[in-house]
Amino acid sequence: MRRMLATGMVWVAFAALCVPVQAQNSTSDDPAWTVKDRSTSRAGCWHTPRPQTLEEIGKVYQNGLARERRKTEVRGYPARAMLALSDGRLRTAYSAGLLVGWGETAQRPDFAVVTAAGVSALIAPFAFLGAEGDQIIADIFACDTLSFEDMASRAVSHLTHERLERIAQRHEGGDRLVVALPGSAARAESVWDLGAIAASRNPEAATYIERILLAAVDPAVFIDPETVPGGVGTVVRRNRVFREVGSGEPFLSPDPAGVPLGSYYLIHNGVLFPDEGDAFAKTQREAGAEVSLVPAHDFFLRSHASKASIRIASPRPYLGIQPQSDFDMAYMRALFVDTFRQARMGREWRRTFPDRERSYQ
């Protein structure tokens, strides 16, 4: 197994998949980018909805004041924050709506670490970039499209040279952007360091990232990590013993011995569950595995041990809608808009893990 992450960081795959990409002969220190025509001139289709209740009107007004204050206030050095996004296929629209709505409150931190699994990989680069990515995330998940592949193509169209360069500079400064691709009959599970790919300035870097994002939504696409220079991709093992089918989706997690984090934010797009992953993770570490599977509950244990704050969000059943097909744009849009409204009113985040009495910081 090849090591893909920077020194001091070990990444844990929660639901990952192996993605190989065909590399061409080029040097990783070549500063040139080969970027296709990725036009971003079109106007986005997403427009912020009007508030519907007196409470929402008040929150929207307060959010506007908070955003203005943030432009001029002197802020101390913030604790490093991590955002972890699970997979969820159609339910990934929940993550998208939460992040965009949260951005309106002026309370969302700038994330030093962003990890994502499966379809959530379409969100990760733009969440990593901060406020400039909000409109893009909304356009990907709330605008009419015909398939996941079209959504991935839309995401790729926004990865301009300038944005890739900002991702590269963030990576060089110690921040991390990593995604996992779920396994299927066509491929093994794998993890990819998108920040390292961007920072390589390899002429094919943009193409590698494009293929990875397309593979994130298509389980039939296989990319061999051995064909991508720089050790930026690695095949991982999945624990199929303690996790029941349908019980949840995977996260990626930094090793607690790596760069210290002051706060964790987990968005779980599926059903939350308590399970026992510590024993398996310990076994993997003893076996020398560089990447292993860790459940959401382990984040809580880790944050408590390091006195870091942690928040978790997941869809709630009150919306009362169900997808009518494997790709249901109306369902995704409804989930996105509802979650956006809740998030801009400061809701969704909580401090406790389901079925656990302990409240964490």
Side-chain angles (χ1 to χ4, degrees):
M1 181 180 295
R2 301 180 60 183
R3 193 173 193 80
M4 74 157 212
L5 300 173
T7 303
M9 298 293 286
V10 176
W11 295 90
V12 183
F14 174 78
L17 114 70
C18 154
V19 205
V21 188
Q22 186 65 38
Q24 297 181 7
N25 294 329
S26 55
T27 59
S28 60
D29 58 353
D30 189 338
W33 289 94
T34 300
V35 181
K36 297 178 182 178
D37 180 14
R38 305 173 188 275
S39 174
T40 57
S41 59
R42 68 175 181 86
C45 77
W46 166 255
H47 300 286
T48 303
R50 295 176 180 272
Q52 294 181 335
T53 66
L54 288 176
E55 178 187 10
E56 192 174 359
I57 290 172
K59 289 290 186 181
V60 169
Y61 177 73
Q62 293 171 7
N63 290 343
L65 296 178
R67 290 195 300 273
E68 290 301 316
R69 287 195 301 269
R70 188 164 181 173
K71 291 177 181 179
T72 57
E73 69 182 2
V74 177
R75 305 171 62 204
Y77 185 77
R80 288 171 61 85
M82 173 185 178
L83 173 68
L85 306 172
S86 83
D87 195 1
R89 299 298 286 179
L90 294 174
R91 293 191 309 274
T92 303
Y94 175 85
S95 288
L98 192 159
L99 287 169
V100 177
W102 189 18
E104 294 228 334
T105 68
Q107 300 300 312
R108 188 182 65 195
D110 295 324
F111 297 109
V113 178
V114 175
T115 71
V119 175
S120 289
L122 304 186
I123 300 174
F126 309 109
F128 190 66
L129 289 171
E132 73 167 284
D134 287 357
Q135 178 70 44
I136 299 171
I137 293 172
D139 284 351
I140 295 171
F141 283 87
C143 298
D144 285 334
T145 190
L146 299 176
S147 65
F148 282 118
E149 289 73 17
D150 288 343
M151 292 173 63
S153 295
R154 183 177 293 171
V156 166
S157 74
H158 288 284
L159 287 176
T160 61
H161 166 83
E162 292 75 17
R163 289 181 178 127
L164 289 172
E165 180 60 29
R166 283 197 287 278
I167 290 173
Q169 292 173 3
R170 291 276 306 278
H171 177 85
E172 292 167 340
D175 294 345
R176 293 294 177 262
L177 170 62
V178 186
V179 302
L181 300 180
S184 70
R187 68 193 187 189
E189 298 166 345
S190 61
V191 176
W192 298 85
D193 190 336
L194 300 189
I197 296 175
S200 72
R201 276 40 172 238
N202 188 302
E204 295 300 316
T207 300
Y208 297 151
I209 294 176
E210 176 179 350
R211 292 176 181 174
I212 290 167
L213 293 187
L214 291 172
V217 303
D218 186 351
V221 174
F222 174 74
I223 309 171
D224 184 358
E226 295 295 329
T227 66
V228 183
V232 296
T234 185
V235 174
V236 299
R237 295 175 57 193
R238 176 169 178 159
N239 175 19
R240 301 186 183 278
V241 177
F242 73 82
R243 186 170 306 288
E244 296 180 0
V245 175
S247 62
E249 290 80 29
F251 291 98
L252 291 174
S253 170
D255 177 42
V259 178
L261 296 167
S263 56
Y264 296 82
Y265 295 89
L266 279 64
I267 305 181
H268 197 298
N269 295 298
V271 178
L272 282 169
F273 56 95
D275 56 18
E276 300 301 329
D278 284 339
F280 176 79
K282 180 180 179 181
T283 301
Q284 291 295 288
R285 288 193 296 270
E286 291 174 349
E290 296 176 352
V291 183
S292 62
L293 182 64
V294 166
H297 184 240
D298 285 6
F299 278 92
F300 283 81
L301 299 177
R302 182 178 302 167
S303 67
H304 184 68
S306 62
K307 294 181 171 56
S309 66
I310 187 165
R311 300 291 185 273
I312 191 162
S314 61
R316 305 189 185 193
Y318 69 86
L319 192 56
I321 61 172
Q322 295 295 330
Q324 302 303 306
S325 62
D326 290 340
F327 185 83
D328 187 339
M329 191 65 229
Y331 169 82
M332 282 196 293
R333 184 183 298 108
L335 182 57
F336 178 95
V337 173
D338 181 81
T339 309
F340 169 87
R341 291 186 185 279
Q342 299 302 316
R344 77 173 175 183
M345 289 193 288
R347 300 173 180 170
E348 294 304 303
W349 292 110
R350 54 192 182 277
R351 302 182 182 186
T352 57
F353 192 80
D355 300 331
R356 291 291 191 269
E357 294 181 357
R358 172 180 289 174
S359 178
Y360 297 82
Q361 291 182 320

